[in-house]
Amino acid sequence: MKWRGDATASPAVATVTGLKVKAGASQTTEATTTYLGKGNGSEYKECVVSSATKNTF
């Protein structure tokens, strides 16, 4: 996961490992990382999946 924000936002990335989702299903997980900013976090506007891998179980 990558958090994106305005020009003052420090780069923020979190990695999720071991998440397995069967075809046609959905799964919820939590991704966290250390906050390195100097404000209250409002400079981050969205988080997005920056990469994902598909494997057959």
Side-chain angles (χ1 to χ4, degrees):
M1 298 297 296
K2 182 184 288 186
W3 282 263
R4 297 193 293 204
D6 63 26
T8 65
S10 300
V13 176
T15 301
V16 175
T17 59
L19 180 66
K20 296 181 179 182
V21 183
K22 293 184 179 185
S26 63
Q27 181 69 37
T28 301
T29 190
E30 185 173 320
T32 62
T33 192
T34 304
Y35 176 64
L36 301 175
K38 296 184 179 11
N40 63 5
S42 64
E43 69 273 24
Y44 295 100
K45 306 301 180 195
E46 66 178 340
C47 65
V48 295
V49 174
S50 55
S51 68
T53 304
K54 178 181 176 182
N55 295 311
T56 304
F57 301 119

